[in-house]
Amino acid sequence: AQSVTQPDIHITVSEGASLELRCNYSYGATPYLFWYVQSPGQGLQLLLKYFSGDTLVQGIKGFEAEFKRSQSSFNLRKPSVHWSDAAEYFCAVGPNDYKLSFGAGTTVTVRA
Amino acid sequence: GAVVSQHPSRVICKSGTSVKIECRSLDFQATTMFWYRQFPKKSLMLMATSNEGSKATYEQGVEKDKFLINHASLTLSTLTVTSAHPEDSSFYICSARVFWTGVEKLFFGSGTQLSVL
């Protein structure tokens, strides 16, 4: 069975500060790993994904994530947060691009 | 602009009534659409896979007679929550698998918040 845990329900960060969102997964084989972002009233938007190759993945909007097999983690990072990064972030795992299991999400609040 | 349109965004209904949620792929054909459900502060759970022209495939534990899925065209899938009860109150999201600039991608709708009184 596949599952995803996002330990942090809510994170508040100052604009310009760095951000790291944690994600731990459980999966029996080599997983596809994803980070999605959802702004209010919007659909989920793919930030980045990993399947193979370089374990440090670059995504859109200045985000990156690092796959660590030994820790079953796929944490998302951004060096300098902008107010527009305030949203809900979901980590997901699956056997392909479509059949995904999502975490419960982490809400990011950005303070001025 | 949005690739997938989901409607309505919010619906309140009385217990015992049925509610239909639409998921449309705009300008792109989607042979496969997916329906998810999210309880507050819980994971987004895949409910079913909807294939155009055939029966939906439901995940374990999802009642197919409660959650009717119809994918009659390449751009529209509907989820009908039949005889809704308060425990069906949840956030429902659809996604569509489309070819985007020659690559197959997954696009999500903005979700539907269902409240059953």
Side-chain angles (χ1 to χ4, degrees):
Chain A
Q2 59 197 42
S3 66
V4 176
T5 301
Q6 292 181 247
D8 304 304
I9 296 173
H10 191 183
I11 286 180
T12 299
V13 61
S14 298
E15 191 169 14
S18 63
L19 173 69
E20 181 167 13
L21 303 182
R22 295 183 291 164
C23 172
N24 293 96
Y25 68 90
S26 174
Y27 192 73
T30 302
Y32 282 72
L33 292 160
F34 308 81
W35 275 100
Y36 281 87
V37 60
Q38 185 176 32
S39 299
Q42 305 293 317
L44 289 163
Q45 181 184 21
L46 180 66
L47 285 175
L48 46 82
K49 76 173 186 182
Y50 170 81
F51 174 62
S52 65
D54 192 344
T55 56
L56 185 62
V57 183
Q58 301 298 319
I60 62 171
K61 304 186 179 186
F63 285 92
E64 65 178 26
E66 186 171 13
F67 170 59
K68 292 185 178 180
R69 185 186 298 276
S70 61
Q71 298 177 19
S72 296
S73 70
F74 189 57
N75 294 348
L76 181 72
R77 298 192 293 258
K78 185 168 183 176
S80 177
V81 169
H82 188 261
W83 63 267
S84 60
D85 293 322
E88 186 148 20
Y89 292 79
F90 293 91
C91 181
V93 66
N96 50 42
D97 280 313
Y98 325 112
K99 198 161 186 178
L100 307 181
S101 293
F102 288 83
T106 298
T107 301
V108 173
T109 299
V110 180
R111 59 178 174 228
Chain B
V3 177
V4 174
S5 172
Q6 187 173 341
H7 179 81
S9 59
R10 184 179 295 272
V11 58
I12 301 172
C13 69
K14 292 182 179 180
S15 186
T17 61
S18 294
V19 174
K20 181 184 284 188
I21 302 169
E22 292 188 348
C23 183
R24 290 183 184 274
S25 174
L26 306 176
D27 301 324
F28 294 89
Q29 294 181 340
T31 53
T32 306
M33 291 186 174
F34 302 89
W35 287 96
Y36 303 83
R37 178 178 182 177
Q38 185 183 29
F39 294 99
K41 297 307 174 187
K42 298 290 186 183
S43 302
L44 202 59
M45 302 298 298
L46 178 64
M47 297 174 65
T49 302
S50 169
N51 297 297
E52 186 268 336
S54 64
K55 290 184 179 180
T57 304
Y58 290 82
E59 296 300 304
Q60 190 174 9
V62 177
E63 299 176 61
K64 59 182 68 176
D65 294 330
K66 158 70 78 175
F67 300 100
L68 299 180
I69 292 172
N70 184 280
H71 194 157
S73 78
L74 285 169
T75 58
L76 174 64
S77 176
T78 60
L79 168 68
T80 301
V81 183
T82 62
S83 186
H85 290 283
E87 58 265 31
D88 298 324
S89 298
S90 193
F91 190 64
Y92 295 87
I93 296 181
C94 71
S95 67
R97 183 177 165 187
V98 303
F99 275 98
W100 176 267
T101 60
V103 179
E104 211 167 38
K105 292 192 173 183
L106 194 65
F107 290 94
F108 285 82
S110 55
T112 298
Q113 182 65 54
L114 171 63
S115 299
V116 184
L117 305 178

